[in-house]
């Protein structure tokens, strides 16, 4: 069963993830504890043998070997090889999840484009959507061990209601060496063509749309079939075995050398080694936990259609798809609630109510954009005294300079700010925040269009 902990981390708080560290099901401890016990046991055997069962000459040889192994383990590119591999695995896992076939869009289009309130019409809706669900069951049955255990044969699929006895005979009579999950999709298209002949699909334009665009069942069926095909190819084409072997060999060989190279040795003259004997290699065990745990994560999600704790809930997914699709195309066909005026019919601004626990959110201002925040800041620092001071300074000190090209084209120069003046005083900020009142008697368009320009002398 998929392990969900979203509610536990809904809010970020102090040591929020620490609540997740003591869960067993779906945890890294459950995946790694056997390897961890083996590593600790082997390390302890080497440590006890070195301390109590070797002679003085044998200890010297063991110390030389341990020192050499400790130096050479840094040559194994653990982080690069393992990090790239896990990234590739996670991308593959996410793509498989997004390509799980769901009938939601298809059932909406079938319900809106295939018409008829009689028994024949109802049979068309349910058969069309059942074919879509049948194709997903067939593909999931071939790639998921959970679905295979639930439907080990076509007879079980017939008993579940995804396929009739006649359809099973027709399905088995069509021989092919390859997976035949696509056959219900072909049945879907042929049945849609019959619905057009019977007038269940209103006109040829709708039938053409049925074949071309995303608003009609055929395109949605092709999308549904394409997802089934992608799942089949993900199951067929695995990540190259050589890459998986390289990563596995790198991890296991690294920690095999660590069994000897990370031993606490007796300090002797001639070489430098740890002066403190911890007996338990804490940092080596943490390193094993991180790297080997990373590898176990990749091992778990490389095939999400298995029976691990965090694999996809394919059985529940099939139950949900069949129930929802039949409910949409059958029970909800032209079964609409009466239209009424909404509660905010006579209100100019609709405002849903808040509960007591969320009433404080009504005092928060709505975000309109960071530029509106800057405008509010400008309105705060704006004052008549600063405006008059800016006008005097602009008349005495600032000079509007027209570029040479603009003189020939007779185009007004664009406003700019002298960086030197802006750095000396706050005059530039006041000019930026100055509001222009077009109704004022002292208003001159050219003066305010050319607020500031870079002085030629300052730009040199």
């Amino acid at each position: 069963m998929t392990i969900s902990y979203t509610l536990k981390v809904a809010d970020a708080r102090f040591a929020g993830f620490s609540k997740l560290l003591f869960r067993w099901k779906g945890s890294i401890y459950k995946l790694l504890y056997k390897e961890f016990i083996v590593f600790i046991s082997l390390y302890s055997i080497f440590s006890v043998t070195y301390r109590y069962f070797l002679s003085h000459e044998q200890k010297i040889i063991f110390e030389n070997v341990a020192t050499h192994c400790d130096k050479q383990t840094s040559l194994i590119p653990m982080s690069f090889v393992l990090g790239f591999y896990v990234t590739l695995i996670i991308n593959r896992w996410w793509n498989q999840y997004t390509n799980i076939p769901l009938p939601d869009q298809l059932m909406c289009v079938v319900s809106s484009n295939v018409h008829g309130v009689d028994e024949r019409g109802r049979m068309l809706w349910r058969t069309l959507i059942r074919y879509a669900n049948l194709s997903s069951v067939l593909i999931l049955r071939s790639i998921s061990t959970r679905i295979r255990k639930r439907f080990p044969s076509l007879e079980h699929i017939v008993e579940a209601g995804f396929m009739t006895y006649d359809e099973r005979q027709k399905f088995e009579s069509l021989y092919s060496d390859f997976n035949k999950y696509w056959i219900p999709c072909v049945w879907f298209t042929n049945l849609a063509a019959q619905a057009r002949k019977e007038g269940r699909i209103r006109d040829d334009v709708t039938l053409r749309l049925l074949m071309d665009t995303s608003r009609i069942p055929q395109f949605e069926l092709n999308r549904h079939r394409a997802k089934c095909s992608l799942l089949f190819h993900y199951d067929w084409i695995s990540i190259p075995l050589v890459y998986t072997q390289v990563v596995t060999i790198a991890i296991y060989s690294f920690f095999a050398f660590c069994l000897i190279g990370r031993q606490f040795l007796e300090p002797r003259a001639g070489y430098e080694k740890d002066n403190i004997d911890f007996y338990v290699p804490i940092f080596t065990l943490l390193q094993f936990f991180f790297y080997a745990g990373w590898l176990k994560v990749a091992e778990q999600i490389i095939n999400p259609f298995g029976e691990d704790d965090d694999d996809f809930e394919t059985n529940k997914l099939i139950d949900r798809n069949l129930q929802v699709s039949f409910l949409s195309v059958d029970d909800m066909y032209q079964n609409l609630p009466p239209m009424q005026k909404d509660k905010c019919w006579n209100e100019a601004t609709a405002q849903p109510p808040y509960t007591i626990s969320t009433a404080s959110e009504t005092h928060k201002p709505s975000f309109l954009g960071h530029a509106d925040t800057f405008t509010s800041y400008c309105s705060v620092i704006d004052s008549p005294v600063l405006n008059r001071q800016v006008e005097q300074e602009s008349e005495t000190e600032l000079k509007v300079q027209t570029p040479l090209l603009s003189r020939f084209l007779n185009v007004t120069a664009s406003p700019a700010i002298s960086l030197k003046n802006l750095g000396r005083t706050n005059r530039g900020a006041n000019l930026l925040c100055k509001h222009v009142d077009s109704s004022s008697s002292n208003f001159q368009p050219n003066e305010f269009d050319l607020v500031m320009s870079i002085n030629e002398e300052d730009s040199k």
Side-chain angles (χ1 to χ4, degrees):
M1 180 178 180
T2 302
I3 307 301
S4 179
Y5 56 89
T6 309
L7 181 61
K8 299 293 183 181
V9 292
D11 300 321
R13 58 190 67 179
F14 175 73
F17 282 167
S18 60
K19 298 179 179 179
L20 307 176
L21 297 180
F22 304 101
R23 304 184 63 172
W24 174 255
K25 192 172 184 179
S27 66
I28 187 62
Y29 318 118
K30 185 177 180 180
L31 286 176
L32 194 62
Y33 78 95
K34 295 180 180 179
E35 287 85 352
F36 198 74
I37 292 176
V38 170
F39 182 79
I40 293 178
S41 301
L42 293 177
Y43 184 91
S44 301
I45 292 174
F46 281 105
S47 179
V48 171
T49 302
Y50 165 72
R51 295 172 187 273
Y52 301 106
F53 296 99
L54 296 182
S55 63
H56 178 72
E57 292 77 10
Q58 291 174 339
K59 284 186 177 181
I60 294 177
I61 297 175
F62 183 86
E63 290 167 359
N64 293 332
V65 174
T67 304
H68 179 75
C69 291
D70 189 29
K71 292 181 180 179
Q72 299 303 319
T73 51
S74 60
L75 300 178
I76 302 177
M78 294 279 293
S79 300
F80 173 76
V81 174
L82 188 57
F84 187 78
Y85 181 74
V86 174
T87 302
L88 182 63
I89 293 293
I90 290 178
N91 291 333
R92 178 185 176 90
W93 170 82
W94 180 252
N95 289 333
Q96 291 183 75
Y97 170 73
T98 56
N99 283 287
I100 294 178
L102 300 175
D104 295 54
Q105 295 181 352
L106 183 59
M107 68 188 185
C108 293
V109 218
V110 168
S111 180
S112 60
N113 287 275
V114 182
H115 304 282
V117 294
D118 55 348
E119 185 177 357
R120 172 66 176 175
R122 183 187 180 190
M123 189 178 299
L124 281 173
W125 313 325
R126 294 179 67 91
T127 304
L128 287 172
I129 203 65
R130 184 170 56 81
Y131 285 160
N133 284 282
L134 176 59
S135 63
S136 63
V137 169
L138 291 176
I139 189 61
L140 291 174
R141 176 177 171 266
S142 63
I143 66 175
S144 174
T145 54
R146 292 182 177 181
I147 303 298
R148 190 71 179 189
K149 289 181 179 179
R150 184 180 181 181
F151 304 111
S153 65
L154 291 179
E155 182 179 356
H156 292 82
I157 297 180
V158 173
E159 293 178 358
F162 290 98
M163 181 186 290
T164 64
Y165 180 77
D166 294 335
E167 291 168 352
R168 175 193 170 187
Q169 288 184 333
K170 181 68 67 175
F171 184 87
E172 292 178 341
S173 64
L174 299 172
Y175 175 76
S176 177
D177 293 330
F178 305 98
N179 197 313
K180 297 188 291 184
Y181 66 89
W182 46 268
I183 290 181
C185 298
V186 179
W187 291 346
F188 185 102
T189 57
N190 294 333
L191 189 59
Q194 289 184 9
R196 172 65 190 102
K197 293 180 180 179
E198 298 175 5
R200 308 286 179 173
I201 299 176
R202 297 299 172 82
D203 49 30
D204 292 334
V205 176
T206 306
L207 183 62
R208 182 181 176 185
L209 294 177
L210 188 68
M211 305 293 180
D212 295 338
T213 67
S214 61
R215 296 182 180 179
I216 29 67
Q218 180 64 27
F219 182 87
E220 295 298 337
L221 178 72
N222 284 335
R223 181 181 299 176
H224 184 86
R225 181 205 53 79
K227 289 185 175 182
C228 295
S229 177
L230 280 174
L231 290 184
F232 176 72
H233 285 85
Y234 271 121
D235 184 69
W236 185 13
I237 309 298
S238 304
I239 293 178
L241 180 61
V242 59
Y243 196 9
T244 304
Q245 290 175 340
V246 167
V247 175
T248 305
I249 293 174
I251 296 295
Y252 284 100
S253 61
F254 177 83
F255 288 106
F257 289 117
C258 286
L259 291 174
I260 300 177
R262 299 295 175 85
Q263 293 286 338
F264 291 100
L265 306 177
E266 298 177 0
R268 300 180 184 277
Y271 71 93
E272 295 181 358
K273 195 59 180 173
D274 298 325
N275 294 324
I276 303 177
D277 194 349
F278 287 104
Y279 294 94
V280 179
I282 300 176
F283 295 101
T284 301
L285 294 180
L286 287 176
Q287 195 174 24
F288 178 84
F289 187 82
F290 297 146
Y291 283 121
W294 214 357
L295 182 64
K296 296 299 289 186
V297 169
E299 181 182 341
Q300 183 184 28
I301 67 177
I302 192 172
N303 180 18
F305 295 100
E307 299 182 64
D308 295 327
D309 290 340
D310 274 318
D311 285 342
F312 299 150
E313 289 288 343
T314 47
N315 279 319
K316 290 294 183 182
L317 185 67
I318 287 178
D319 297 340
R320 178 260 174 198
N321 290 343
L322 185 64
Q323 184 183 68
V324 171
S325 56
F326 278 163
L327 180 65
S328 176
V329 300
D330 191 2
D331 296 347
M332 296 183 63
Y333 178 75
Q334 294 186 358
N335 186 12
L336 301 175
M339 288 191 301
Q340 298 178 359
K341 294 182 180 180
D342 56 83
K343 192 174 183 179
C344 304
W345 181 268
N346 296 322
E347 298 180 8
T349 303
Q351 180 63 50
Y354 285 83
T355 59
I356 297 178
S357 59
T358 58
S360 60
E361 298 184 8
T362 59
H363 302 289
K364 298 179 182 179
S366 300
F367 180 75
L368 301 177
H370 68 277
D372 291 280
T373 306
F374 178 73
T375 304
S376 301
Y377 168 76
C378 295
S379 62
V380 172
I381 68 172
D382 186 20
S383 65
V385 178
L386 292 177
N387 288 341
R388 286 196 297 270
Q389 181 181 359
V390 170
E391 290 176 359
Q392 293 175 1
E393 292 177 352
S394 62
E395 292 176 358
T396 57
E397 297 181 6
L398 299 178
K399 298 179 181 179
V400 176
Q401 302 294 335
T402 305
L404 181 61
L405 181 59
S406 300
R407 295 178 183 176
F408 287 103
L409 299 177
N410 198 15
V411 179
T412 306
S414 59
I417 301 174
S418 175
L419 299 179
K420 186 181 295 185
N421 294 334
L422 184 60
R424 292 174 182 172
T425 64
N426 294 328
R427 192 167 59 244
N430 294 332
L431 283 174
L432 285 176
C433 300
K434 187 175 180 180
H435 295 280
V436 178
D437 187 3
S438 59
S439 62
S440 176
S441 58
N442 296 328
F443 174 72
Q444 297 180 4
N446 293 332
E447 178 182 355
F448 286 94
D449 290 340
L450 308 175
V451 179
M452 296 184 69
S453 179
I454 298 177
N455 199 328
E456 293 180 356
E457 297 178 358
D458 296 339
S459 64
K460 292 182 180 181

